[in-house]
Amino acid sequence: GQQLNQSPQSMFIQEGEDVSMNCTSSSIFNTWLWYKQDPGEGPVLLIALYKAGELTSNGRLTAQFGITRKDSFLNISASIPSDVGIYFCAGHNNAGNMLTFGGGTRLMVKP
Amino acid sequence: EAQVTQNPRYLITVTGKKLTVTCSQNMNHEYMSWYRQDPGLGLRQIYYSMNVEVTDKGDVPEGYKVSRKEKRNFPLILESPSPNQTSLYFCASSAGTGGGQPQHFGDGTRLSIL
């Protein structure tokens, strides 16, 4: 299957800092999705991106669909302790019926 | 409340003993899928279904079976479980049939195969 490289794998930051993570692919996607997973729960959708170059915000979160359609990034501004969790990117191309996930970024926030 | 419900949430069992994990959604979604989550590998798709009686393999289908007899239910069957199937499993559903729509996930089923 397709591969999505997500980095970094983990981050340990101080409360109030900004965070940036990204996903890259060797092939083109038409949809990029960003999910957050809290401990003991399933992933929850944060932001969906459907157009190359699109920049979308959801509160302190901002995500962009790369212009080449092979990458996407997620920024979190002014992190707070409840931002702790695993963040996943996921991509979909219209040629198939599957969603491909990155390996996840584990975020830890020190109060 | 819109939700995807998986049962059981936790199961410890032994090699070779057939088991079924149920998944039900109340959103009238056409698309349903099963994933397994392993450390460092993210979520990998096992099987998906675009509608009733329509199922297809994902990236890691070996050792698993599924069925879609009703729109709301999509059970995952392990006919002869093995230790390498110890993992955290998620069921998800979405509107549409292409898989590109945002998927709603259940809370997961942690399986341990001894």
Side-chain angles (χ1 to χ4, degrees):
Chain A
Q2 294 170 314
Q3 299 289 325
L4 274 186
N5 296 310
Q6 186 171 347
S7 65
Q9 286 189 333
S10 62
M11 304 179 73
F12 188 71
I13 62 169
Q14 193 75 35
E15 181 177 2
E17 288 183 358
D18 296 343
V19 172
S20 185
M21 59 192 78
N22 68 82
C23 271
T24 60
S25 170
S26 58
S27 53
I28 288 171
F29 286 109
N30 295 306
T31 301
W32 283 96
L33 305 171
W34 284 93
Y35 286 86
K36 183 193 177 196
Q37 183 181 26
D38 289 324
E41 297 182 14
V44 174
L45 182 71
L46 297 173
I47 293 178
L49 303 161
Y50 298 105
K51 189 177 175 183
E54 181 181 356
L55 185 72
T56 298
S57 292
N58 178 7
R60 294 178 295 106
L61 278 60
T62 302
Q64 184 158 28
F65 192 141
I67 198 73
T68 65
R69 293 199 284 158
K70 292 184 178 182
D71 60 352
S72 177
F73 72 76
L74 175 71
N75 285 345
I76 306 173
S77 62
S79 58
I80 58 179
S82 62
D83 290 334
V84 164
I86 304 177
Y87 292 80
F88 290 102
C89 62
H92 178 260
N93 71 53
N94 292 343
N97 297 304
M98 290 170 44
L99 201 57
T100 301
F101 279 80
T105 296
R106 183 180 295 274
L107 178 64
M108 293 159 279
V109 179
K110 185 178 179 183
Chain B
E1 181 189 348
Q3 57 186 9
V4 178
T5 304
Q6 298 177 225
N7 279 296
R9 292 291 313 276
Y10 305 91
L11 180 64
I12 301 174
T13 188
V14 296
T15 299
K17 185 176 181 183
K18 180 180 178 180
L19 68 91
T20 299
V21 185
T22 63
C23 174
S24 180
Q25 50 96 2
N26 63 0
M27 295 167 279
N28 201 36
H29 284 166
E30 288 83 7
Y31 189 94
M32 297 186 74
S33 61
W34 276 102
Y35 296 86
R36 61 177 289 172
Q37 182 179 10
D38 301 290
L41 297 177
L43 288 94
R44 294 179 293 167
Q45 197 161 25
I46 302 170
Y47 269 94
Y48 63 94
S49 168
M50 290 188 287
N51 218 321
V52 176
E53 301 292 0
V54 181
T55 64
D56 212 341
K57 297 177 181 178
D59 285 327
V60 289
E62 294 78 21
Y64 304 95
K65 285 174 57 177
V66 293
S67 69
R68 188 88 182 275
K69 293 185 170 58
E70 305 163 287
K71 199 172 187 179
R72 63 182 294 129
N73 295 324
F74 191 45
L76 178 70
I77 303 153
L78 284 71
E79 292 271 5
S80 183
S82 62
N84 64 11
Q85 292 178 298
T86 292
S87 187
L88 178 58
Y89 291 84
F90 288 100
C91 180
S93 73
S94 66
T97 58
Q101 295 295 317
Q103 296 185 19
H104 300 260
F105 285 81
D107 284 336
T109 295
R110 187 168 291 281
L111 287 184
S112 293
I113 317 293
L114 305 178

